[in-house]
Amino acid sequence: MCSLIEKVGYRLAESAARNYRNSGDIITAGAIEKELLEYRRENGIFEVGDCVFMRDKHYTEMFIVTNILNDGRIEIKTAKYGFPVPSYCWGLYYGNSKGLVHASDAEIKTGERLEGTI
């Protein structure tokens, strides 16, 4: 079975999800949004609103992507406390997302990193 993203591309699928949501069809929108999230997880793509963890396991907090700057840096905030944390301050990575990993559905549900992830 070919996915919608494979058929029409990521941005068009994203636009379709937004159109379905705006029309009130939240079931179809939700299915497409789930496919988009899985695609981002598999391909290391991050968007505003994604829940993430630092690859460095010393950082145990879950974060939320709040902004993606034009130069590629990703700004995040803690999911628990909400204060903004510009990722470039740590020096873990500059201009890319190699220092981040998507949170799984189970991690999002519990709000914390689960054993054996990454």
Side-chain angles (χ1 to χ4, degrees):
M1 184 171 128
C2 190
S3 77
L4 179 63
I5 295 168
E6 291 171 341
K7 288 180 184 175
V8 301
Y10 184 86
R11 291 294 171 208
L12 194 55
E14 183 179 49
S15 177
R18 189 171 35 258
N19 290 339
Y20 278 114
R21 183 160 300 284
N22 290 340
S23 74
D25 186 348
I26 59 172
I27 294 173
T28 303
I32 296 171
E33 289 164 353
K34 183 164 180 57
E35 186 176 336
L36 290 166
L37 176 58
E38 288 306 317
Y39 182 85
R40 291 195 306 274
R41 285 176 175 162
E42 291 170 7
N43 293 284
I45 299 168
F46 298 92
E47 290 195 359
V48 172
D50 285 350
C51 295
V52 299
F53 288 100
M54 293 289 184
R55 285 194 183 274
D56 181 343
K57 290 193 177 189
H58 289 97
Y59 297 98
T60 59
E61 290 287 328
M62 185 167 64
F63 297 91
I64 299 171
V65 175
T66 57
N67 193 15
I68 300 174
L69 304 174
N70 290 337
D71 64 4
R73 291 179 294 166
I74 295 175
E75 291 182 349
I76 55 179
K77 70 176 183 178
T78 62
K80 187 173 183 179
Y81 303 110
F83 53 84
V85 182
S87 59
Y88 57 87
C89 288
W90 289 313
L92 294 174
Y93 52 97
Y94 293 90
N96 64 50
S97 57
K98 289 188 178 10
L100 298 175
V101 62
H102 277 277
S104 68
D105 289 339
E107 289 170 327
I108 293 169
K109 188 174 182 178
T110 62
E112 59 188 42
R113 186 187 305 253
L114 298 177
E115 207 51 42
T117 58
I118 298 194

